[in-house]
Each structure stands twice: as C-alpha cells, then as structure tokens.
Amino acid sequence: MRLVKALDFSDRLAVKPFQDTSALEYAGLTLEQGGNAAWLILPNGARYRGAAAIWAAFATIWPIIGDLLLAIYHLPVVRPLQDAAYRWIAANRKRFPSGKAYLNRG
C-alpha cells in the first residue's frame, strides 16, 4: 500500500497500518482481518480485500482510468492470477523489505 500512497498525488486515500486499532474499529475489521490482507473501504460503503483492494485503490487515485483498471482485474484469467500472487506475497511479506514498525501510541 505504500506504493499506492506514493502515487496518490491528489491525496484521495487515507492509508492506515492494520496495527492502528482505531482505524480497524472505524472500518469494522478485526485485527486478524487487518493483518491478513490490505483493505480499501470507500465512503459509499464498498469494501475491497487483497488484490481487489490494490486495484480499487489505483482506480480511486486515477479515476479517469479507474473503470478500465477494475475491468482488467475482473477478467476471468487476470483475477485468479492476481489473487494468487497477492496471497503468496501476503504469506511471505516478512521476506520483503519494509518500513519502520508501527506503534499505536494512542
């Protein structure tokens, strides 16, 4: 999600780490749900999880091509591949470089 936030030039998204328990409460998610996948929750109530959240986030920050991006994700061949890739990355996230650890200081 750091990449999505870095590309969000219009500051359309509020990206929060799953360790921010107040953000989880606001979103109606458990700590387990937040730790297992990225989530995107839009003001209209639409909820996206995992690879779909990443694609929907790009669609949100780039509205002109957003419908096209989501249409590509929903293609019968693309969606299962993207979901499988996301699950692999999520299962192996400790192998990838990360930023500073988040501490909820509230």
Coordinates of all heavy atoms in Angstrom, one line a residue:
M1 N 0.8 -1.2 0.0 CA 0.0 0.0 0.0 C 0.9 1.3 0.0 O 0.4 2.3 -0.3 CB -1.0 0.0 1.2 CG -2.1 -1.0 1.1 SD -3.1 -1.0 -0.4 CE -4.1 0.5 -0.1
R2 N 2.1 1.1 0.4 CA 3.0 2.3 0.4 C 3.1 2.8 -1.1 O 3.2 4.0 -1.3 CB 4.4 2.0 0.9 CG 4.4 2.0 2.4 CD 5.8 1.9 2.9 NE 6.5 0.8 2.4 CZ 6.8 -0.3 3.1 NH1 6.6 -0.3 4.4 NH2 7.4 -1.3 2.6
L3 N 3.2 1.9 -2.0 CA 3.3 2.3 -3.4 C 2.0 3.1 -3.9 O 2.1 4.1 -4.5 CB 3.5 1.1 -4.4 CG 3.5 1.4 -5.9 CD1 4.6 2.4 -6.2 CD2 3.5 0.1 -6.6
V4 N 0.9 2.6 -3.5 CA -0.4 3.2 -3.8 C -0.4 4.6 -3.2 O -0.7 5.6 -3.9 CB -1.6 2.4 -3.3 CG1 -2.9 3.2 -3.5 CG2 -1.7 1.1 -4.0
K5 N 0.0 4.8 -2.0 CA 0.0 6.1 -1.3 C 1.0 7.0 -2.0 O 0.7 8.2 -2.1 CB 0.3 5.9 0.2 CG 0.1 7.2 1.0 CD -1.3 7.7 0.9 CE -1.5 9.0 1.6 NZ -2.7 9.7 1.2
A6 N 2.2 6.5 -2.4 CA 3.2 7.3 -3.0 C 2.7 7.9 -4.3 O 3.0 9.0 -4.8 CB 4.5 6.5 -3.2
L7 N 1.8 7.1 -5.0 CA 1.2 7.5 -6.3 C 0.0 8.3 -6.2 O -0.6 8.8 -7.2 CB 1.0 6.3 -7.2 CG 2.3 5.5 -7.6 CD1 1.9 4.2 -8.3 CD2 3.2 6.4 -8.4
D8 N -0.5 8.5 -5.0 CA -1.8 9.2 -4.7 C -1.5 10.7 -4.6 O -1.5 11.3 -3.5 CB -2.4 8.7 -3.4 CG -3.7 9.3 -3.1 OD1 -4.3 10.0 -3.9 OD2 -4.2 9.1 -1.9
F9 N -1.2 11.3 -5.7 CA -0.8 12.7 -5.8 C -1.9 13.7 -5.3 O -1.6 14.8 -4.9 CB -0.4 13.1 -7.2 CG 0.8 12.2 -7.7 CD1 0.6 11.5 -8.8 CD2 2.0 12.2 -7.1 CE1 1.6 10.7 -9.3 CE2 3.0 11.4 -7.5 CZ 2.8 10.6 -8.7
S10 N -3.2 13.2 -5.4 CA -4.3 14.1 -5.0 C -4.7 13.8 -3.6 O -5.7 14.4 -3.1 CB -5.5 13.9 -6.0 OG -5.1 14.3 -7.3
D11 N -4.0 12.9 -2.9 CA -4.3 12.6 -1.5 C -5.7 12.2 -1.3 O -6.4 12.7 -0.5 CB -3.9 13.8 -0.6 CG -3.7 13.4 0.8 OD1 -3.2 12.2 1.0 OD2 -3.9 14.2 1.7
R12 N -6.2 11.2 -2.1 CA -7.5 10.7 -2.1 C -7.7 9.6 -1.0 O -8.8 9.4 -0.6 CB -8.0 10.2 -3.5 CG -8.0 11.2 -4.5 CD -8.4 10.5 -5.9 NE -8.3 11.5 -7.0 CZ -9.3 12.1 -7.5 NH1 -10.5 12.0 -7.0 NH2 -9.1 13.0 -8.5
L13 N -6.7 8.9 -0.7 CA -6.8 7.8 0.3 C -6.1 8.1 1.6 O -5.1 8.8 1.7 CB -6.1 6.6 -0.3 CG -6.6 6.1 -1.7 CD1 -5.7 4.9 -2.1 CD2 -8.0 5.6 -1.5
A14 N -6.7 7.6 2.6 CA -6.1 7.6 4.0 C -5.6 6.2 4.3 O -6.4 5.3 4.5 CB -7.2 8.0 5.0
V15 N -4.3 6.0 4.1 CA -3.7 4.7 4.3 C -3.3 4.6 5.8 O -2.6 5.4 6.3 CB -2.5 4.6 3.4 CG1 -1.8 3.2 3.6 CG2 -2.9 4.7 1.9
K16 N -3.8 3.5 6.4 CA -3.5 3.2 7.8 C -3.0 1.8 8.0 O -3.4 0.9 7.3 CB -4.8 3.3 8.6 CG -5.5 4.7 8.6 CD -4.7 5.7 9.3 CE -5.5 7.0 9.3 NZ -4.8 8.1 9.9
P17 N -2.0 1.6 8.8 CA -1.5 0.3 9.1 C -2.5 -0.5 9.9 O -3.3 0.1 10.7 CB -0.2 0.5 9.9 CG -0.4 1.8 10.5 CD -1.3 2.6 9.6
F18 N -2.5 -1.8 9.7 CA -3.5 -2.6 10.4 C -3.3 -2.6 11.9 O -4.2 -2.9 12.7 CB -3.5 -4.1 9.9 CG -2.4 -4.9 10.5 CD1 -2.7 -5.7 11.6 CD2 -1.2 -5.0 9.8 CE1 -1.7 -6.5 12.1 CE2 -0.2 -5.9 10.3 CZ -0.5 -6.6 11.5
Q19 N -2.1 -2.2 12.4 CA -1.9 -2.1 13.8 C -2.6 -0.9 14.5 O -2.7 -0.8 15.7 CB -0.4 -2.0 14.1 CG 0.4 -3.2 13.7 CD 1.0 -3.1 12.3 OE1 0.5 -2.3 11.5 NE2 2.0 -3.8 12.0
D20 N -3.1 0.0 13.7 CA -3.8 1.1 14.2 C -5.2 0.7 14.5 O -6.1 0.6 13.7 CB -3.9 2.2 13.1 CG -4.6 3.5 13.6 OD1 -5.3 3.4 14.6 OD2 -4.4 4.5 12.9
T21 N -5.4 0.3 15.8 CA -6.7 -0.3 16.2 C -7.9 0.6 16.0 O -9.0 0.1 15.8 CB -6.6 -0.8 17.6 OG1 -6.2 0.2 18.5 CG2 -5.6 -2.0 17.8
S22 N -7.7 1.9 16.1 CA -8.8 2.8 15.9 C -9.2 2.8 14.5 O -10.4 2.9 14.2 CB -8.4 4.3 16.3 OG -7.4 4.8 15.5
A23 N -8.3 2.6 13.5 CA -8.7 2.5 12.1 C -9.4 1.2 11.9 O -10.4 1.2 11.1 CB -7.4 2.6 11.2
L24 N -9.0 0.1 12.5 CA -9.7 -1.1 12.4 C -11.1 -1.0 12.9 O -12.1 -1.5 12.3 CB -9.0 -2.3 13.1 CG -7.7 -2.8 12.5 CD1 -7.0 -3.8 13.4 CD2 -8.0 -3.4 11.1
E25 N -11.3 -0.4 14.1 CA -12.6 -0.2 14.7 C -13.5 0.6 13.7 O -14.7 0.2 13.5 CB -12.5 0.5 16.0 CG -12.2 -0.4 17.2 CD -12.2 0.4 18.5 OE1 -13.1 1.2 18.7 OE2 -11.3 0.1 19.3
Y26 N -13.0 1.6 13.2 CA -13.7 2.5 12.3 C -14.2 1.7 11.1 O -15.3 1.9 10.6 CB -12.9 3.7 11.9 CG -13.6 4.7 11.0 CD1 -14.5 5.6 11.5 CD2 -13.3 4.6 9.6 CE1 -15.1 6.5 10.6 CE2 -13.9 5.5 8.8 CZ -14.9 6.4 9.3 OH -15.5 7.3 8.4
A27 N -13.3 0.9 10.6 CA -13.6 0.1 9.4 C -14.5 -1.2 9.7 O -14.9 -1.8 8.8 CB -12.3 -0.3 8.7
G28 N -14.6 -1.5 11.0 CA -15.4 -2.7 11.3 C -14.6 -4.0 11.0 O -15.2 -5.0 10.7
L29 N -13.3 -3.9 11.2 CA -12.5 -5.1 10.9 C -11.8 -5.6 12.2 O -11.6 -4.8 13.1 CB -11.3 -4.7 9.9 CG -11.8 -4.3 8.5 CD1 -10.6 -3.8 7.8 CD2 -12.5 -5.4 7.8
T30 N -11.5 -6.9 12.3 CA -10.8 -7.4 13.4 C -9.3 -7.3 13.1 O -8.9 -7.0 12.0 CB -11.1 -8.9 13.6 OG1 -10.6 -9.6 12.4 CG2 -12.6 -9.2 13.7
L31 N -8.5 -7.5 14.1 CA -7.1 -7.4 14.0 C -6.6 -8.5 13.0 O -5.7 -8.3 12.2 CB -6.4 -7.6 15.4 CG -4.9 -7.4 15.4 CD1 -4.5 -6.0 14.9 CD2 -4.3 -7.6 16.8
E32 N -7.2 -9.7 13.1 CA -6.9 -10.8 12.2 C -7.2 -10.4 10.7 O -6.4 -10.6 9.9 CB -7.6 -12.0 12.6 CG -7.2 -13.2 11.7 CD -8.0 -14.5 12.1 OE1 -8.8 -14.5 13.1 OE2 -7.8 -15.5 11.4
Q33 N -8.4 -9.8 10.5 CA -8.7 -9.4 9.1 C -7.7 -8.4 8.6 O -7.3 -8.5 7.5 CB -10.1 -8.8 9.1 CG -11.2 -9.9 9.3 CD -12.6 -9.2 9.4 OE1 -12.7 -8.3 10.2 NE2 -13.6 -9.8 8.7
G34 N -7.4 -7.4 9.4 CA -6.5 -6.4 9.0 C -5.1 -6.9 8.8 O -4.4 -6.4 7.9
G35 N -4.7 -7.9 9.5 CA -3.3 -8.4 9.4 C -3.2 -9.4 8.2 O -2.1 -9.6 7.7
N36 N -4.3 -9.9 7.7 CA -4.3 -10.9 6.7 C -4.3 -10.3 5.3 O -3.9 -11.0 4.3 CB -5.4 -11.9 6.8 CG -5.2 -12.9 7.9 OD1 -4.1 -13.1 8.4 ND2 -6.3 -13.4 8.4
A37 N -4.8 -9.1 5.1 CA -4.9 -8.5 3.8 C -5.0 -7.0 3.9 O -5.4 -6.5 4.9 CB -6.1 -9.1 3.1
A38 N -4.7 -6.4 2.7 CA -5.0 -5.0 2.6 C -6.5 -4.8 2.4 O -7.1 -5.7 1.8 CB -4.2 -4.4 1.4
W39 N -7.0 -3.7 2.9 CA -8.4 -3.4 2.7 C -8.6 -2.0 2.2 O -7.8 -1.1 2.5 CB -9.2 -3.5 4.0 CG -9.4 -4.9 4.5 CD1 -8.4 -5.7 5.2 CD2 -10.5 -5.7 4.4 NE1 -9.0 -6.9 5.5 CE2 -10.3 -6.9 5.0 CE3 -11.8 -5.5 3.8 CZ2 -11.2 -8.0 5.0 CZ3 -12.7 -6.5 3.9 CH2 -12.4 -7.7 4.5
L40 N -9.6 -1.8 1.3 CA -10.0 -0.5 0.9 C -11.5 -0.4 1.2 O -12.3 -1.2 0.7 CB -9.7 -0.3 -0.6 CG -10.2 1.1 -1.1 CD1 -9.3 2.2 -0.6 CD2 -10.1 1.1 -2.6
I41 N -11.8 0.6 2.0 CA -13.2 0.9 2.3 C -13.5 2.3 1.8 O -13.0 3.3 2.3 CB -13.5 0.7 3.8 CG1 -13.1 -0.7 4.2 CG2 -14.9 1.0 4.1 CD1 -12.8 -1.0 5.6
L42 N -14.5 2.3 0.9 CA -14.8 3.6 0.2 C -16.0 4.3 1.0 O -16.7 3.6 1.7 CB -15.2 3.4 -1.2 CG -14.1 2.8 -2.1 CD1 -14.6 2.5 -3.5 CD2 -12.9 3.8 -2.2
P43 N -16.1 5.6 0.9 CA -17.1 6.3 1.6 C -18.5 5.8 1.3 O -19.4 5.9 2.1 CB -17.0 7.8 1.0 CG -15.6 7.9 0.7 CD -15.2 6.5 0.1
N44 N -18.7 5.2 0.1 CA -20.1 4.7 -0.3 C -20.3 3.3 0.4 O -21.4 2.7 0.1 CB -20.2 4.6 -1.8 CG -19.3 3.6 -2.5 OD1 -18.6 2.8 -1.8 ND2 -19.4 3.5 -3.8
G45 N -19.4 2.8 1.2 CA -19.5 1.5 1.8 C -18.9 0.3 1.1 O -18.9 -0.8 1.7
A46 N -18.5 0.5 -0.1 CA -17.9 -0.6 -0.9 C -16.6 -1.0 -0.2 O -15.8 -0.2 0.3 CB -17.6 -0.1 -2.3
R47 N -16.4 -2.3 -0.1 CA -15.3 -2.9 0.6 C -14.5 -3.8 -0.3 O -15.1 -4.7 -1.0 CB -15.7 -3.7 1.9 CG -16.5 -2.8 2.9 CD -17.2 -3.6 3.9 NE -16.4 -4.3 4.8 CZ -15.9 -3.8 6.0 NH1 -16.3 -2.5 6.3 NH2 -15.2 -4.4 6.8
Y48 N -13.2 -3.6 -0.4 CA -12.3 -4.5 -1.2 C -11.2 -5.0 -0.3 O -10.7 -4.4 0.6 CB -11.7 -3.6 -2.3 CG -12.7 -3.0 -3.2 CD1 -13.2 -1.7 -3.0 CD2 -13.1 -3.7 -4.4 CE1 -14.1 -1.2 -3.9 CE2 -14.1 -3.1 -5.2 CZ -14.6 -1.9 -5.0 OH -15.5 -1.3 -5.8
R49 N -10.9 -6.3 -0.6 CA -9.9 -7.0 0.2 C -8.8 -7.6 -0.7 O -9.1 -8.0 -1.9 CB -10.6 -8.1 0.9 CG -9.6 -9.0 1.8 CD -10.4 -10.2 2.3 NE -9.6 -11.0 3.2 CZ -8.6 -11.8 2.7 NH1 -8.5 -12.0 1.4 NH2 -7.9 -12.5 3.6
G50 N -7.6 -7.6 -0.3 CA -6.5 -8.2 -1.0 C -6.1 -7.5 -2.3 O -6.1 -6.3 -2.4
A51 N -6.0 -8.4 -3.4 CA -5.6 -7.8 -4.7 C -6.7 -6.8 -5.2 O -6.4 -5.8 -5.8 CB -5.4 -8.9 -5.7
A52 N -7.9 -7.2 -4.9 CA -9.0 -6.3 -5.3 C -8.9 -4.9 -4.7 O -9.2 -3.9 -5.3 CB -10.4 -6.9 -4.9
A53 N -8.4 -4.8 -3.4 CA -8.2 -3.6 -2.7 C -7.1 -2.7 -3.4 O -7.2 -1.5 -3.6 CB -7.8 -3.8 -1.3
I54 N -6.0 -3.4 -3.9 CA -5.0 -2.7 -4.6 C -5.5 -2.1 -5.9 O -5.3 -1.0 -6.2 CB -3.8 -3.6 -4.8 CG1 -3.3 -4.3 -3.5 CG2 -2.7 -2.9 -5.5 CD1 -2.8 -3.3 -2.5
W55 N -6.2 -3.0 -6.7 CA -6.7 -2.5 -7.9 C -7.7 -1.4 -7.7 O -7.7 -0.4 -8.4 CB -7.4 -3.7 -8.7 CG -6.4 -4.5 -9.4 CD1 -5.7 -5.5 -8.8 CD2 -6.0 -4.5 -10.7 NE1 -4.9 -6.1 -9.7 CE2 -5.0 -5.5 -10.9 CE3 -6.3 -3.8 -11.8 CZ2 -4.4 -5.8 -12.1 CZ3 -5.7 -4.0 -13.1 CH2 -4.8 -5.0 -13.2
A56 N -8.6 -1.5 -6.7 CA -9.6 -0.5 -6.5 C -8.9 0.8 -6.0 O -9.4 1.9 -6.3 CB -10.6 -1.0 -5.5
A57 N -7.8 0.7 -5.2 CA -7.1 1.9 -4.8 C -6.6 2.6 -6.0 O -6.7 3.8 -6.1 CB -6.0 1.5 -3.8
F58 N -6.0 1.9 -6.9 CA -5.5 2.6 -8.1 C -6.6 3.2 -8.9 O -6.5 4.3 -9.4 CB -4.7 1.6 -9.0 CG -3.3 1.3 -8.6 CD1 -2.9 0.0 -8.3 CD2 -2.4 2.3 -8.4 CE1 -1.6 -0.3 -7.9 CE2 -1.1 2.1 -8.0 CZ -0.7 0.8 -7.7
A59 N -7.7 2.5 -9.0 CA -8.9 3.1 -9.6 C -9.4 4.4 -8.9 O -9.9 5.3 -9.6 CB -10.0 2.1 -9.7
T60 N -9.2 4.4 -7.6 CA -9.6 5.6 -6.8 C -8.7 6.8 -7.1 O -9.1 7.9 -7.2 CB -9.7 5.2 -5.3 OG1 -10.7 4.2 -5.2 CG2 -10.1 6.4 -4.5
I61 N -7.4 6.5 -7.1 CA -6.5 7.6 -7.2 C -6.3 8.1 -8.7 O -5.9 9.2 -8.9 CB -5.1 7.3 -6.6 CG1 -4.4 6.1 -7.3 CG2 -5.2 7.0 -5.1 CD1 -3.0 5.9 -6.8
W62 N -6.7 7.2 -9.6 CA -6.7 7.6 -11.0 C -8.1 7.4 -11.6 O -8.3 6.5 -12.4 CB -5.7 6.7 -11.8 CG -4.3 6.9 -11.3 CD1 -3.7 8.0 -10.8 CD2 -3.3 5.9 -11.3 NE1 -2.4 7.8 -10.5 CE2 -2.1 6.5 -10.8 CE3 -3.2 4.6 -11.7 CZ2 -0.9 5.8 -10.7 CZ3 -2.0 3.8 -11.5 CH2 -0.9 4.4 -11.0
P63 N -9.0 8.2 -11.3 CA -10.4 8.0 -11.7 C -10.6 7.9 -13.2 O -11.6 7.3 -13.6 CB -11.2 9.1 -11.0 CG -10.2 10.2 -10.7 CD -8.9 9.4 -10.5
I64 N -9.8 8.6 -14.0 CA -10.0 8.6 -15.4 C -9.9 7.2 -16.0 O -10.6 6.8 -16.9 CB -9.1 9.6 -16.1 CG1 -9.4 11.0 -15.6 CG2 -9.1 9.5 -17.6 CD1 -8.4 12.1 -16.1
I65 N -9.0 6.4 -15.5 CA -8.8 5.1 -16.0 C -9.3 4.0 -15.0 O -9.0 2.8 -15.2 CB -7.3 4.8 -16.4 CG1 -6.4 5.0 -15.2 CG2 -6.9 5.7 -17.5 CD1 -5.0 4.5 -15.4
G66 N -9.9 4.4 -13.9 CA -10.3 3.5 -12.9 C -11.2 2.4 -13.3 O -11.0 1.2 -13.0
D67 N -12.2 2.7 -14.2 CA -13.1 1.6 -14.6 C -12.4 0.6 -15.5 O -12.6 -0.6 -15.4 CB -14.3 2.2 -15.4 CG -15.2 3.0 -14.6 OD1 -15.3 2.8 -13.3 OD2 -16.0 3.9 -15.1
L68 N -11.4 1.1 -16.3 CA -10.6 0.2 -17.1 C -9.8 -0.7 -16.2 O -9.7 -2.0 -16.4 CB -9.7 1.0 -18.1 CG -8.8 0.1 -18.9 CD1 -9.5 -0.8 -19.8 CD2 -7.8 1.0 -19.7
L69 N -9.1 -0.2 -15.2 CA -8.3 -1.0 -14.3 C -9.1 -2.1 -13.6 O -8.7 -3.2 -13.5 CB -7.7 -0.1 -13.2 CG -6.6 0.9 -13.7 CD1 -6.2 1.8 -12.6 CD2 -5.4 0.1 -14.2
L70 N -10.3 -1.7 -13.1 CA -11.1 -2.7 -12.4 C -11.7 -3.7 -13.4 O -11.8 -4.9 -13.1 CB -12.3 -2.1 -11.7 CG -11.9 -1.4 -10.4 CD1 -13.1 -0.6 -9.8 CD2 -11.3 -2.3 -9.4
A71 N -12.0 -3.3 -14.6 CA -12.4 -4.3 -15.7 C -11.3 -5.3 -16.0 O -11.6 -6.5 -16.1 CB -12.8 -3.5 -16.9
I72 N -10.1 -4.8 -16.0 CA -8.9 -5.7 -16.3 C -8.8 -6.7 -15.1 O -8.7 -7.9 -15.4 CB -7.6 -4.9 -16.5 CG1 -7.7 -4.2 -17.8 CG2 -6.4 -5.9 -16.4 CD1 -6.6 -3.2 -18.0
Y73 N -8.9 -6.2 -13.9 CA -8.8 -7.1 -12.8 C -9.9 -8.2 -12.8 O -9.6 -9.4 -12.4 CB -8.9 -6.3 -11.5 CG -9.0 -7.2 -10.2 CD1 -7.9 -8.0 -9.8 CD2 -10.2 -7.3 -9.6 CE1 -8.1 -8.8 -8.7 CE2 -10.4 -8.2 -8.5 CZ -9.3 -8.9 -8.1 OH -9.4 -9.7 -7.0
H74 N -11.1 -7.9 -13.2 CA -12.2 -8.8 -13.2 C -12.2 -9.8 -14.4 O -13.1 -10.6 -14.5 CB -13.5 -8.1 -13.1 CG -13.7 -7.5 -11.7 ND1 -14.0 -8.3 -10.6 CD2 -13.7 -6.3 -11.2 CE1 -14.1 -7.6 -9.5 NE2 -13.9 -6.3 -9.9
L75 N -11.2 -9.7 -15.3 CA -11.2 -10.6 -16.4 C -11.0 -12.0 -15.8 O -10.2 -12.2 -14.8 CB -10.0 -10.3 -17.4 CG -10.2 -9.0 -18.2 CD1 -9.0 -8.7 -19.0 CD2 -11.4 -9.2 -19.2
P76 N -11.6 -13.0 -16.4 CA -11.6 -14.4 -15.9 C -10.2 -14.9 -15.6 O -9.9 -15.7 -14.7 CB -12.3 -15.2 -16.9 CG -13.2 -14.3 -17.6 CD -12.5 -13.0 -17.6
V77 N -9.2 -14.6 -16.5 CA -7.8 -15.1 -16.3 C -7.0 -14.2 -15.3 O -6.2 -14.7 -14.5 CB -7.1 -15.1 -17.7 CG1 -5.7 -15.5 -17.5 CG2 -7.8 -16.1 -18.6
V78 N -7.3 -12.9 -15.3 CA -6.5 -12.0 -14.5 C -6.8 -12.1 -13.0 O -5.9 -12.2 -12.2 CB -6.6 -10.5 -15.0 CG1 -5.9 -9.6 -14.1 CG2 -6.2 -10.4 -16.5
R79 N -8.0 -12.1 -12.7 CA -8.4 -12.1 -11.3 C -7.8 -13.3 -10.5 O -7.2 -13.1 -9.4 CB -9.9 -12.1 -11.1 CG -10.3 -11.9 -9.7 CD -11.8 -11.8 -9.5 NE -12.1 -11.6 -8.1 CZ -13.3 -11.2 -7.7 NH1 -14.3 -10.9 -8.6 NH2 -13.5 -11.0 -6.4
P80 N -7.9 -14.5 -10.9 CA -7.4 -15.6 -10.2 C -5.8 -15.5 -10.0 O -5.3 -15.8 -9.0 CB -7.8 -16.9 -10.9 CG -8.8 -16.5 -11.8 CD -8.7 -15.0 -12.1
L81 N -5.2 -15.0 -11.1 CA -3.7 -14.9 -11.0 C -3.3 -13.8 -10.1 O -2.4 -14.0 -9.3 CB -3.2 -14.6 -12.4 CG -3.2 -15.7 -13.4 CD1 -2.8 -15.3 -14.8 CD2 -2.4 -16.9 -13.0
Q82 N -4.0 -12.7 -10.1 CA -3.7 -11.6 -9.2 C -4.0 -12.0 -7.7 O -3.2 -11.7 -6.8 CB -4.6 -10.3 -9.5 CG -4.1 -9.7 -10.8 CD -2.8 -9.0 -10.6 OE1 -2.5 -8.3 -9.6 NE2 -1.9 -9.2 -11.6
D83 N -5.1 -12.7 -7.5 CA -5.4 -13.1 -6.2 C -4.4 -14.1 -5.6 O -4.0 -14.0 -4.5 CB -6.8 -13.8 -6.1 CG -7.9 -12.7 -6.3 OD1 -7.7 -11.5 -6.2 OD2 -9.1 -13.2 -6.6
A84 N -3.9 -15.0 -6.5 CA -2.9 -16.0 -6.1 C -1.6 -15.3 -5.8 O -0.9 -15.6 -4.8 CB -2.7 -17.0 -7.2
A85 N -1.2 -14.3 -6.6 CA 0.0 -13.6 -6.4 C -0.1 -12.8 -5.1 O 0.9 -12.7 -4.3 CB 0.3 -12.6 -7.6
Y86 N -1.2 -12.2 -4.8 CA -1.4 -11.4 -3.6 C -1.3 -12.4 -2.4 O -0.7 -12.0 -1.4 CB -2.8 -10.7 -3.6 CG -2.9 -9.9 -2.3 CD1 -2.5 -8.6 -2.3 CD2 -3.4 -10.4 -1.1 CE1 -2.5 -7.8 -1.2 CE2 -3.5 -9.6 0.0 CZ -3.0 -8.3 0.0 OH -3.1 -7.6 1.1
R87 N -2.0 -13.5 -2.4 CA -1.9 -14.5 -1.3 C -0.4 -14.9 -1.1 O 0.0 -15.0 0.1 CB -2.8 -15.7 -1.6 CG -4.2 -15.5 -1.4 CD -5.0 -16.8 -1.4 NE -4.8 -17.5 -2.6 CZ -5.6 -17.3 -3.7 NH1 -6.5 -16.4 -3.8 NH2 -5.3 -18.1 -4.8
W88 N 0.4 -15.1 -2.1 CA 1.8 -15.5 -2.0 C 2.5 -14.4 -1.3 O 3.3 -14.6 -0.4 CB 2.4 -15.9 -3.3 CG 3.8 -16.4 -3.1 CD1 4.2 -17.7 -2.8 CD2 5.0 -15.6 -3.2 NE1 5.5 -17.7 -2.7 CE2 6.0 -16.5 -2.9 CE3 5.2 -14.3 -3.4 CZ2 7.4 -16.1 -2.9 CZ3 6.6 -13.8 -3.4 CH2 7.6 -14.7 -3.1
I89 N 2.4 -13.2 -1.8 CA 3.1 -12.0 -1.2 C 2.7 -11.8 0.2 O 3.5 -11.6 1.1 CB 2.8 -10.8 -2.1 CG1 3.5 -10.9 -3.4 CG2 3.3 -9.5 -1.3 CD1 3.1 -9.8 -4.4
A90 N 1.4 -11.9 0.5 CA 0.9 -11.7 1.9 C 1.5 -12.8 2.8 O 1.9 -12.5 3.9 CB -0.6 -11.8 2.0
A91 N 1.6 -14.1 2.3 CA 2.1 -15.2 3.1 C 3.7 -15.0 3.3 O 4.2 -15.5 4.3 CB 1.8 -16.5 2.5
N92 N 4.3 -14.3 2.4 CA 5.8 -14.2 2.5 C 6.2 -12.7 2.8 O 7.4 -12.4 2.5 CB 6.4 -14.7 1.2 CG 6.2 -16.1 1.0 OD1 6.9 -16.9 1.6 ND2 5.2 -16.5 0.2
R93 N 5.3 -11.9 3.3 CA 5.7 -10.5 3.4 C 6.9 -10.2 4.3 O 7.5 -9.2 4.2 CB 4.5 -9.7 3.9 CG 4.1 -10.0 5.4 CD 2.9 -9.1 5.8 NE 1.8 -9.4 4.9 CZ 0.5 -9.4 5.3 NH1 0.2 -9.1 6.5 NH2 -0.4 -9.7 4.4
K94 N 7.2 -11.1 5.2 CA 8.3 -10.9 6.1 C 9.6 -11.0 5.4 O 10.7 -10.6 5.8 CB 8.3 -11.9 7.3 CG 7.2 -11.7 8.2 CD 7.2 -12.6 9.4 CE 6.0 -12.3 10.3 NZ 5.9 -13.2 11.4
R95 N 9.6 -11.6 4.2 CA 10.8 -11.7 3.3 C 11.1 -10.4 2.6 O 12.2 -10.3 2.0 CB 10.7 -12.8 2.3 CG 10.5 -14.2 3.0 CD 10.4 -15.2 1.9 NE 10.2 -16.5 2.6 CZ 10.3 -17.7 1.9 NH1 10.5 -17.7 0.7 NH2 10.1 -18.8 2.6
F96 N 10.2 -9.5 2.5 CA 10.3 -8.3 1.7 C 10.7 -7.1 2.6 O 10.4 -7.1 3.8 CB 9.0 -7.9 1.0 CG 8.6 -8.9 0.0 CD1 7.6 -9.9 0.4 CD2 9.1 -9.0 -1.2 CE1 7.2 -10.8 -0.5 CE2 8.7 -9.9 -2.1 CZ 7.8 -10.9 -1.8
P97 N 11.5 -6.2 2.1 CA 11.9 -5.0 2.9 C 10.6 -4.2 3.3 O 9.6 -4.2 2.6 CB 12.7 -4.2 2.0 CG 12.8 -4.8 0.7 CD 12.0 -6.1 0.7
S98 N 10.7 -3.7 4.5 CA 9.5 -2.9 5.0 C 10.0 -1.6 5.6 O 11.2 -1.4 5.8 CB 8.7 -3.7 6.0 OG 9.5 -4.0 7.1
G99 N 9.1 -0.8 5.9 CA 9.4 0.5 6.6 C 9.5 0.3 8.1 O 9.6 -0.8 8.6
K100 N 9.4 1.4 8.8 CA 9.5 1.4 10.2 C 8.3 0.6 10.8 O 7.2 0.7 10.3 CB 9.5 2.8 10.8 CG 10.7 3.6 10.4 CD 10.6 5.0 10.9 CE 11.8 5.8 10.5 NZ 11.7 7.2 10.9
A101 N 8.5 0.0 11.9 CA 7.4 -0.7 12.6 C 6.4 0.4 13.1 O 6.9 1.4 13.5 CB 7.9 -1.5 13.7
Y102 N 5.2 0.0 13.0 CA 4.1 1.0 13.5 C 3.8 0.7 15.0 O 3.6 -0.5 15.3 CB 2.9 0.8 12.7 CG 1.8 1.7 13.2 CD1 1.7 3.0 12.8 CD2 0.8 1.2 14.0 CE1 0.7 3.8 13.3 CE2 -0.2 2.0 14.5 CZ -0.3 3.3 14.1 OH -1.3 4.1 14.6
L103 N 3.8 1.7 15.8 CA 3.4 1.5 17.2 C 2.1 2.4 17.4 O 2.2 3.6 17.1 CB 4.5 2.0 18.1 CG 5.8 1.2 18.0 CD1 6.8 1.8 18.9 CD2 5.5 -0.3 18.4
N104 N 1.1 1.8 17.9 CA -0.1 2.6 18.2 C 0.1 3.3 19.5 O 0.1 2.7 20.5 CB -1.3 1.6 18.2 CG -2.6 2.4 18.3 OD1 -2.6 3.6 18.4 ND2 -3.7 1.6 18.3
R105 N 0.3 4.6 19.4 CA 0.6 5.3 20.7 C -0.6 6.2 21.1 O -0.5 7.3 21.4 CB 1.8 6.2 20.4 CG 3.0 5.4 20.1 CD 4.2 6.3 19.8 NE 5.2 5.5 19.3 CZ 6.5 5.8 19.2 NH1 6.8 6.9 19.7 NH2 7.4 4.9 18.8
G106 N -1.8 5.6 21.1 CA -2.9 6.4 21.5 C -3.7 5.8 22.6 O -3.7 5.0 23.3

